[in-house]
mmCIF file of all heavy atoms in Angstrom:
data_model
loop_
_atom_site.group_PDB
_atom_site.id
_atom_site.type_symbol
_atom_site.label_atom_id
_atom_site.label_comp_id
_atom_site.label_asym_id
_atom_site.label_seq_id
_atom_site.Cartn_x
_atom_site.Cartn_y
_atom_site.Cartn_z
ATOM 1 N N ALA F 300 -14.666 -0.470 -11.071
ATOM 2 C CA ALA F 300 -14.785 -0.244 -9.630
ATOM 3 C C ALA F 300 -13.793 0.767 -9.085
ATOM 4 O O ALA F 300 -13.847 1.097 -7.897
ATOM 5 C CB ALA F 300 -14.644 -1.569 -8.880
ATOM 6 N N PHE F 323 -15.943 -3.527 -1.429
ATOM 7 C CA PHE F 323 -14.969 -4.346 -2.163
ATOM 8 C C PHE F 323 -15.681 -5.516 -2.840
ATOM 9 O O PHE F 323 -16.414 -6.277 -2.205
ATOM 10 C CB PHE F 323 -13.945 -4.863 -1.164
ATOM 11 C CG PHE F 323 -12.789 -5.626 -1.734
ATOM 12 C CD1 PHE F 323 -11.639 -4.972 -2.156
ATOM 13 C CD2 PHE F 323 -12.821 -7.020 -1.808
ATOM 14 C CE1 PHE F 323 -10.551 -5.681 -2.646
ATOM 15 C CE2 PHE F 323 -11.746 -7.732 -2.301
ATOM 16 C CZ PHE F 323 -10.603 -7.064 -2.718
ATOM 17 N N ASN F 324 -15.459 -5.670 -4.158
ATOM 18 C CA ASN F 324 -16.012 -6.806 -4.891
ATOM 19 C C ASN F 324 -14.945 -7.381 -5.821
ATOM 20 O O ASN F 324 -13.784 -6.953 -5.808
ATOM 21 C CB ASN F 324 -17.278 -6.406 -5.652
ATOM 22 C CG ASN F 324 -17.015 -5.387 -6.748
ATOM 23 O OD1 ASN F 324 -15.885 -4.959 -6.971
ATOM 24 N ND2 ASN F 324 -18.066 -4.988 -7.441
ATOM 25 N N GLY F 325 -15.319 -8.335 -6.640
ATOM 26 C CA GLY F 325 -14.359 -8.985 -7.520
ATOM 27 C C GLY F 325 -13.719 -8.034 -8.505
ATOM 28 O O GLY F 325 -12.516 -8.145 -8.799
ATOM 29 N N ASP F 326 -14.500 -7.108 -9.043
ATOM 30 C CA ASP F 326 -13.931 -6.136 -9.981
ATOM 31 C C ASP F 326 -12.888 -5.266 -9.289
ATOM 32 O O ASP F 326 -11.804 -5.021 -9.843
ATOM 33 C CB ASP F 326 -15.034 -5.245 -10.562
ATOM 34 C CG ASP F 326 -15.927 -5.973 -11.550
ATOM 35 O OD1 ASP F 326 -15.454 -6.932 -12.196
ATOM 36 O OD2 ASP F 326 -17.099 -5.585 -11.665
ATOM 37 N N MET F 327 -13.200 -4.792 -8.097
ATOM 38 C CA MET F 327 -12.249 -3.943 -7.379
ATOM 39 C C MET F 327 -10.969 -4.722 -7.083
ATOM 40 O O MET F 327 -9.857 -4.191 -7.230
ATOM 41 C CB MET F 327 -12.861 -3.402 -6.089
ATOM 42 C CG MET F 327 -11.978 -2.391 -5.359
ATOM 43 S SD MET F 327 -12.789 -1.670 -3.899
ATOM 44 C CE MET F 327 -14.058 -0.654 -4.665
ATOM 45 N N GLN F 328 -11.118 -5.962 -6.667
ATOM 46 C CA GLN F 328 -9.944 -6.791 -6.396
ATOM 47 C C GLN F 328 -9.033 -6.894 -7.617
ATOM 48 O O GLN F 328 -7.842 -6.590 -7.546
ATOM 49 C CB GLN F 328 -10.374 -8.197 -5.981
ATOM 50 C CG GLN F 328 -9.224 -9.190 -5.883
ATOM 51 C CD GLN F 328 -9.711 -10.625 -5.781
ATOM 52 O OE1 GLN F 328 -10.673 -10.911 -5.083
ATOM 53 N NE2 GLN F 328 -9.056 -11.528 -6.484
ATOM 54 N N SER F 329 -9.567 -7.315 -8.739
ATOM 55 C CA SER F 329 -8.738 -7.535 -9.930
ATOM 56 C C SER F 329 -8.159 -6.230 -10.460
ATOM 57 O O SER F 329 -7.010 -6.192 -10.920
ATOM 58 C CB SER F 329 -9.541 -8.246 -11.017
ATOM 59 O OG SER F 329 -10.685 -7.490 -11.393
ATOM 60 N N GLU F 330 -8.930 -5.143 -10.368
ATOM 61 C CA GLU F 330 -8.446 -3.866 -10.880
ATOM 62 C C GLU F 330 -7.352 -3.280 -10.004
ATOM 63 O O GLU F 330 -6.371 -2.718 -10.518
ATOM 64 C CB GLU F 330 -9.630 -2.901 -11.029
ATOM 65 C CG GLU F 330 -10.572 -3.325 -12.154
ATOM 66 C CD GLU F 330 -11.886 -2.573 -12.180
ATOM 67 O OE1 GLU F 330 -12.063 -1.619 -11.390
ATOM 68 O OE2 GLU F 330 -12.743 -2.927 -13.016
ATOM 69 N N LEU F 331 -7.475 -3.413 -8.688
ATOM 70 C CA LEU F 331 -6.407 -2.945 -7.805
ATOM 71 C C LEU F 331 -5.115 -3.719 -8.049
ATOM 72 O O LEU F 331 -4.029 -3.130 -8.129
ATOM 73 C CB LEU F 331 -6.832 -3.076 -6.339
ATOM 74 C CG LEU F 331 -7.858 -2.063 -5.835
ATOM 75 C CD1 LEU F 331 -8.362 -2.455 -4.454
ATOM 76 C CD2 LEU F 331 -7.271 -0.656 -5.805
ATOM 77 N N ILE F 332 -5.213 -5.021 -8.165
ATOM 78 C CA ILE F 332 -4.022 -5.825 -8.431
ATOM 79 C C ILE F 332 -3.379 -5.395 -9.747
ATOM 80 O O ILE F 332 -2.155 -5.215 -9.824
ATOM 81 C CB ILE F 332 -4.388 -7.326 -8.467
ATOM 82 C CG1 ILE F 332 -4.807 -7.800 -7.070
ATOM 83 C CG2 ILE F 332 -3.216 -8.158 -8.986
ATOM 84 C CD1 ILE F 332 -5.419 -9.187 -7.062
ATOM 85 N N GLU F 333 -4.188 -5.202 -10.762
ATOM 86 C CA GLU F 333 -3.663 -4.794 -12.072
ATOM 87 C C GLU F 333 -2.930 -3.459 -11.989
ATOM 88 O O GLU F 333 -1.819 -3.310 -12.514
ATOM 89 C CB GLU F 333 -4.810 -4.697 -13.074
ATOM 90 C CG GLU F 333 -4.378 -4.230 -14.456
ATOM 91 C CD GLU F 333 -5.533 -4.144 -15.433
ATOM 92 O OE1 GLU F 333 -6.465 -4.956 -15.325
ATOM 93 O OE2 GLU F 333 -5.494 -3.250 -16.310
ATOM 94 N N ARG F 381 -8.213 -18.236 -3.163
ATOM 95 C CA ARG F 381 -7.341 -17.470 -2.283
ATOM 96 C C ARG F 381 -8.082 -16.221 -1.841
ATOM 97 O O ARG F 381 -8.891 -15.663 -2.584
ATOM 98 C CB ARG F 381 -6.050 -17.054 -3.013
ATOM 99 C CG ARG F 381 -5.114 -18.186 -3.344
ATOM 100 C CD ARG F 381 -3.929 -17.699 -4.165
ATOM 101 N NE ARG F 381 -3.183 -16.633 -3.486
ATOM 102 C CZ ARG F 381 -2.131 -16.014 -4.031
ATOM 103 N NH1 ARG F 381 -1.697 -16.362 -5.236
ATOM 104 N NH2 ARG F 381 -1.503 -15.056 -3.358
ATOM 105 N N ASP F 382 -7.773 -15.762 -0.632
ATOM 106 C CA ASP F 382 -8.364 -14.539 -0.117
ATOM 107 C C ASP F 382 -8.048 -13.365 -1.035
ATOM 108 O O ASP F 382 -6.874 -13.053 -1.282
ATOM 109 C CB ASP F 382 -7.822 -14.274 1.294
ATOM 110 C CG ASP F 382 -8.096 -12.865 1.773
ATOM 111 O OD1 ASP F 382 -9.221 -12.383 1.553
ATOM 112 O OD2 ASP F 382 -7.184 -12.247 2.355
ATOM 113 N N GLY F 383 -9.095 -12.729 -1.548
ATOM 114 C CA GLY F 383 -8.894 -11.635 -2.491
ATOM 115 C C GLY F 383 -8.230 -10.426 -1.881
ATOM 116 O O GLY F 383 -7.398 -9.766 -2.514
ATOM 117 N N GLY F 384 -8.583 -10.107 -0.628
ATOM 118 C CA GLY F 384 -7.923 -8.987 0.034
ATOM 119 C C GLY F 384 -6.440 -9.226 0.188
ATOM 120 O O GLY F 384 -5.626 -8.302 0.058
ATOM 121 N N ARG F 386 -4.552 -11.001 -1.808
ATOM 122 C CA ARG F 386 -3.913 -10.821 -3.115
ATOM 123 C C ARG F 386 -3.675 -9.338 -3.404
ATOM 124 O O ARG F 386 -2.653 -8.960 -3.978
ATOM 125 C CB ARG F 386 -4.755 -11.459 -4.214
ATOM 126 C CG ARG F 386 -4.865 -12.976 -4.077
ATOM 127 C CD ARG F 386 -5.602 -13.592 -5.244
ATOM 128 N NE ARG F 386 -4.840 -13.381 -6.474
ATOM 129 C CZ ARG F 386 -5.395 -13.165 -7.670
ATOM 130 N NH1 ARG F 386 -6.719 -13.099 -7.782
ATOM 131 N NH2 ARG F 386 -4.649 -12.991 -8.735
ATOM 132 N N VAL F 387 -4.618 -8.486 -2.962
ATOM 133 C CA VAL F 387 -4.441 -7.041 -3.144
ATOM 134 C C VAL F 387 -3.302 -6.526 -2.275
ATOM 135 O O VAL F 387 -2.424 -5.791 -2.746
ATOM 136 C CB VAL F 387 -5.756 -6.294 -2.819
ATOM 137 C CG1 VAL F 387 -5.519 -4.789 -2.764
ATOM 138 C CG2 VAL F 387 -6.816 -6.616 -3.858
#
Side-chain angles (χ1 to χ4, degrees):
F323 185 88
N324 65 0
D326 288 332
M327 186 176 290
Q328 171 193 319
S329 59
E330 291 169 6
L331 286 170
I332 293 170
E333 178 180 327
R381 291 175 57 182
D382 165 43
R386 295 185 64 215
V387 170

